[in-house]
């Protein structure tokens, strides 16, 4: 079965292109019944309030929650991370509806506004252990959220020293974190809990497909014991080879 990509708004085309580079079919999901035809789901980055309103309009929230509760793999990037969180702070007046399931608290727009977006080399030891390749990942943060705390069953895959990002030090939320002795000047930006994966950044905007490959391997095994989704990457990450690119993305 194909991988679904929630296609209400945001970077769903970029995720579908990344899946294609791995030899996997990604399909756009806009209606509840379309979830029946996919084995896993990616919730892309975008404008979380707009996405929530569109999801409510199409009556998607009950079906999305059921999909998560069934144990099918779901990956939320940026706005998708906010959707999966059990609790979100820093929201607009009135808040927004969440899917939930991920035992964490997310701060919306933690790193500041659009002009405070940034890129950084992010250490990813757990991903390297599974996927190989360089020890860090070029993470693209666009008006990004951050995870402030996690429950005991949540595995932290990546965190970031907020004081190291010079372009965002003027944000009051970050300054508050830096002044806190408990924060250690770090916030969490990637986690995994059971069937749920979440990243505050945008792997789909880079040529590095290791996060997508990692997610595909979260799919349940089929009856014959083989992986339900087989990755056939055109990129040799270990040797530094370059993939065949058919979509404008960052290198």
């Amino acid at each position: 079965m194909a991988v679904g990509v929630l296609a209400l708004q945001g970077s769903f085309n970029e995720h579908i292109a990344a899946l294609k580079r791995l030899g996997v079919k990604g399909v756009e999901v806009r209606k509840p019944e379309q979830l029946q035809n996919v084995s896993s789901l990616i919730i892309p980055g975008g404008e979380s309030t707009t996405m929530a309103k569109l999801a409510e309009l199409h009556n998607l929230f009950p079906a999305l929650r059921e999909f998560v509760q069934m144990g099918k793999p779901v990956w939320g990037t940026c706005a998708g991370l906010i959707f999966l969180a059990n609790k979100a702070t820093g929201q607009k007046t009135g808040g927004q509806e969440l899917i939930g399931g991920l035992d964490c608290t997310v701060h919306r727009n933690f790193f500041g506004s659009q002009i405070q977006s940034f890129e950084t080399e992010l250490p990813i030891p757990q991903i390297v252990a599974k996927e190989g390749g360089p020890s860090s990942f070029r993470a693209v943060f666009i008006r990004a959220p951050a995870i402030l705390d996690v429950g005991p069953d949540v595995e932290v895959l990546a965190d970031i020293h907020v004081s190291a990002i010079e372009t965002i030090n003027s944000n009051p939320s970050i300054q508050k974190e830096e002044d806190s002795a408990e924060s250690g000047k770090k916030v969490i930006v990637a986690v995994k809990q059971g069937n749920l994966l979440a990243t505050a950044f945008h792997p789909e905007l880079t040529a590095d497909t290791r996060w997508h490959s990692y997610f595909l391997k979260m799919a349940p095994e089929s009856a014959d014991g083989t992986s339900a989704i087989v990755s056939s990457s055109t990129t040799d990450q270990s040797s530094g080879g370059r993939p065949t690119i058919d979509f404008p993305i960052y290198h």
Side-chain angles (χ1 to χ4, degrees):
M1 298 178 74
V3 177
V5 183
L6 192 65
L8 300 176
Q9 190 263 346
S11 58
F12 57 89
N13 279 324
E14 289 85 346
H15 275 293
I16 290 173
L19 292 170
K20 183 179 179 180
R21 295 198 300 276
L22 289 170
V24 175
K25 181 181 180 181
V27 297
E28 298 177 9
V29 172
R30 293 186 176 89
K31 299 179 180 180
E33 57 268 25
Q34 292 174 319
L35 288 169
Q36 300 173 12
N37 301 318
V38 298
S39 58
S40 54
L41 180 70
I42 297 174
I43 305 176
E47 214 297 313
S48 61
T49 303
T50 300
M51 291 173 65
K53 289 179 179 179
L54 290 171
E56 186 175 1
L57 178 66
H58 293 285
N59 195 32
L60 267 164
F61 278 106
L64 289 169
R65 293 192 184 104
E66 182 181 5
F67 196 90
V68 168
Q69 292 165 5
M70 289 174 64
K72 294 186 177 182
V74 181
W75 175 19
T77 63
C78 197
L81 160 61
I82 299 172
F83 269 97
L84 290 179
N86 284 344
K87 182 179 179 181
T89 63
Q91 299 187 68
K92 294 181 179 179
T93 303
Q96 68 182 61
E97 193 168 356
L98 302 174
I99 298 169
L102 187 60
D103 187 11
C104 70
T105 300
V106 172
H107 190 294
R108 185 179 181 271
N109 293 354
F110 178 85
F111 294 103
S113 65
Q114 190 80 14
I115 62 172
Q116 292 166 311
S117 301
F118 64 97
E119 299 178 31
T120 187
E121 290 295 331
L122 192 67
I124 51 167
Q126 291 94 328
I127 303 303
V128 172
K130 294 280 188 178
E131 303 296 329
S135 61
S136 66
F137 180 87
R138 189 67 178 177
V140 181
F141 291 82
I142 303 175
R143 199 172 61 177
I147 301 170
L148 302 182
D149 60 68
V150 298
D153 296 326
V154 178
E155 179 185 4
V156 175
L157 299 179
D159 53 27
I160 186 172
H161 285 270
V162 292
S163 59
I165 311 302
E166 296 179 355
T167 59
I168 55 177
N169 280 346
S170 60
N171 185 28
S173 296
I174 295 178
Q175 190 61 50
K176 182 179 179 181
E177 288 294 322
E178 288 182 341
D179 293 340
S180 170
E182 296 181 357
S183 71
K185 297 185 179 180
K186 278 187 176 182
V187 289
I188 301 166
V189 293
V191 294
K192 180 179 180 293
Q193 180 185 358
N195 60 307
L196 303 180
L197 177 67
T199 55
F201 47 92
H202 291 264
E204 75 280 9
L205 298 182
T206 77
D208 191 335
T209 55
R210 284 180 292 171
W211 283 96
H212 287 82
S213 179
Y214 180 85
F215 174 66
L216 293 175
K217 292 172 184 175
M218 289 172 55
E221 292 187 346
S222 60
D224 63 1
T226 59
S227 176
I229 302 177
V230 179
S231 168
S232 58
S233 175
T234 57
T235 305
D236 184 355
Q237 298 285 0
S238 61
S239 64
R242 289 188 175 274
T244 302
I245 303 299
D246 59 359
F247 203 86
I249 55 177
Y250 297 111
H251 289 277

